[in-house]
Amino acid sequence: MAHGEPGAVMAHGETGAAGIRDLARQPLLLRHRPARDATRLRALFLHGLASSGAVWDGLAPLLPPDLETWTADLPWRADHVQPWSRRPERTDWIVTALERLPDPPDVVVAHSFSANQLLDLLSREAEAGNDVRERYGIRGVVLVSPFYRRSPDDFAWDSVSGMQRDFLHIMEEGLRTHSSRRITPEVRRHMAERVCERVGPYGWVRFFEHYLRTPWLRPELISVPGLVVTGQDDFAAAESALLAADLPGAELHAVPGCGHYPMSEHAESFSALVGAFLRRLSDRAAPHLTEK
């Protein structure tokens, strides 16, 4: 697939002399990192709203050496969120990413907004009687800091303003955990406000609409094994626990001493949890895998 096409596939670390600006315009980018040893499992990593695939970069040396990874830069990434949010949504971008991989992923690891998008896909497929193992090759999912409420009555009128405050806090936390520079709290708050302005009302409403729809998910029908990971200090940690309880094949791990970004704040602990989950999956045969 050429870099100029939508959903261009770009190898890890590859940019091209004149392609960076063109790549930034693409709604979906897929970056590949081959396994360090012979491939046994493949994983697709999906970032949250106003983030990017770079949120997973710190995990690369910590993940199992036989894991081949693909990282998606999705239309709701930081440098593309505004055009995405202002267009009517006609594309299921999670499905598009899955279908554009050259080989199916055994595991999908999704954070925050993308975790909810993935949940929505799994719920729809389960309700339609489709097996995601057969349809997409997915044998397991890792849901990182998802949002979830069981009943529409769990959303009060002040949930709107409260979630706006929480969203700003998430943006601040993202800047704190990913910035290589020391930033004062005042500057960080200003930068977070700028990110929120870039997301804008359209992007925020897209997010909140997905959140409001979580009471209509059918987690009890989702049979694929799952790992739900949350930071113990995340404001939505209790919601992750509820979701894990409602997913028949899921287990919950709350990482102490971190919030919404456990993969960044405690990369080693997060990688160990994912590695253990992958080992349990790899104990079973993966017939579609070929050594590379």
Side-chain angles (χ1 to χ4, degrees), residues 150-163:
R150 284 175 172 166
S151 168
D153 296 331
D154 293 335
F155 291 97
W157 174 248
D158 62 1
S159 297
V160 178
S161 58
M163 194 60 222

Side-chain angles (χ1 to χ4, degrees), residues 119-130 133 143 148-151 213-226 228 242-250:
L119 266 173
D120 187 63
L121 171 64
L122 295 174
S123 180
R124 284 187 280 111
E125 294 288 3
E127 202 165 4
N130 298 325
R133 298 171 184 86
L143 304 170
Y148 176 72
R149 299 191 186 184
R150 284 175 172 166
S151 168
R213 289 209 304 261
T214 56
W216 285 274
L217 294 171
R218 300 294 304 276
E220 75 280 4
L221 300 179
I222 299 172
S223 59
V224 65
V228 180
L242 287 176
L243 176 62
D246 288 351
L247 288 166

Side-chain angles (χ1 to χ4, degrees), residues 63-116:
L63 291 169
D66 57 358
L67 180 68
E68 175 185 343
T69 64
W70 288 86
T71 303
D73 274 301
L74 293 152
W76 45 87
R77 64 185 182 270
D79 65 357
H80 200 274
V81 64
Q82 195 169 84
W84 162 76
S85 69
R86 293 182 177 185
R87 295 191 190 108
E89 190 65 281
R90 298 187 180 94
T91 304
D92 189 323
W93 289 106
I94 305 296
V95 171
T96 302
L98 290 166
E99 291 178 342
R100 290 188 177 174
L101 296 180
D103 297 289
D106 297 276
V107 180
V108 181
V109 184
H111 179 237
S112 196
F113 178 65
S114 285
N116 281 89

